[in-house]
């Protein structure tokens, strides 16, 4: 695991605790002004020791800073950086660099929408998904579905797009799939 991914994991671990998430959210809401532990404790209905523990852990995670006068400030940019580090670990992220027109169709390594025009949808999305699957042998439908489920919620739609665009071929029974045509050299 890269250092960025380890940092992202630590940030997410700290924010998985509801008290810390609430403290971080309130600090983000307060912006550059920040807040003291007492100012955080009252509106969040927490004790000062609970707020102090949360702030200390968030400071250690690098998403909050504390000053000598007891004022804490959130740094949401660190959270964005952590999300970006996690995104780079997604299996399709490396492939997306070769398909800049499709970047807007993905969020956090998952398909969120299809390109608006058929001329983009079939050639580009089909080719990208075919590269992602990287089939070199016959696979059953369950294997194809599990691989596609990593990058899309609409597994059947993605599988259909691959078959209709010729990137996947299926047998007459519709249970076995294989590569339909060779992928262009990248």
């Amino acid at each position: 695991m890269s250092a960025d991914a380890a940092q992202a994991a630590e940030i997410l671990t700290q924010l998985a605790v509801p008290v810390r998430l609430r403290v971080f959210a309130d600090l983000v809401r307060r912006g550059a002004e920040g807040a003291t532990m007492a100012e955080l404790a009252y509106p969040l209905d927490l004790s000062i020791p609970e707020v102090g523990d949360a702030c200390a852990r968030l400071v250690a995670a690098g998403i909050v800073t504390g000053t000598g006068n007891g004022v804490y400030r959130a740094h949401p940019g660190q959270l964005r950086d952590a999300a970006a580090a996690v995104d780079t670990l997604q299996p399709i992220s490396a492939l997306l660099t070769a398909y800049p027109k499709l970047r807007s169709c993905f969020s956090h390594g998952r398909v969120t929408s299809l390109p608006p025009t058929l001329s983009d949808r079939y050639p580009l999305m089909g080719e990208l998904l075919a590269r992602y699957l990287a089939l070199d042998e016959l696979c059953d439908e369950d294997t194809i579905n599990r691989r596609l489920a990593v990058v899309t919620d609409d597994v059947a739609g993605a599988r259909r797009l691959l078959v209709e665009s010729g990137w996947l071929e299926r047998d007459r029974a519709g249970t076995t799939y294989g590569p339909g045509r060779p992928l262009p050299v990248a």
Side-chain angles (χ1 to χ4, degrees), residues 28-68:
V28 169
R29 183 185 62 78
R30 291 171 184 265
E33 184 178 311
T36 64
M37 287 190 285
E39 291 170 331
L40 291 166
Y42 180 73
L44 296 175
D45 195 27
L46 298 170
S47 68
I48 290 180
E50 286 176 306
V51 171
D53 177 63
C55 286
R57 291 177 184 268
L58 296 172
V59 166
I63 56 175
V64 167
T65 55
T67 62

Side-chain angles (χ1 to χ4, degrees), residues 1 39 104 156 171 181:
M1 181 184 308
E39 291 170 331
S104 64
D171 66 0
R181 57 183 160 151

Side-chain angles (χ1 to χ4, degrees), residues 18 24-25 40-41 52-57 59 66 69 99 101-102 106 116 118 121 155-156 159 165 167 170:
F24 182 72
L40 291 166
D53 177 63
C55 286
R57 291 177 184 268
V59 166
N69 61 1
Y99 299 90
K101 289 175 95 176
L102 295 178
F106 286 81
L118 284 176
R121 184 178 306 168
V155 171
R159 194 180 62 244
S165 61
W167 293 109
R170 77 177 154 215

Side-chain angles (χ1 to χ4, degrees), residues 101-102 104-105 113-122 124-125:
K101 289 175 95 176
L102 295 178
S104 64
C105 299
S113 65
L114 291 175
T117 61
L118 284 176
S119 63
D120 286 340
R121 184 178 306 168
Y122 276 70
L124 291 176
M125 187 64 83

Side-chain angles (χ1 to χ4, degrees), residues 60-83:
I63 56 175
V64 167
T65 55
T67 62
N69 61 1
V71 176
Y72 291 89
R73 290 179 182 83
H75 296 283
Q78 299 287 32
L79 190 56
R80 283 190 283 288
D81 293 346

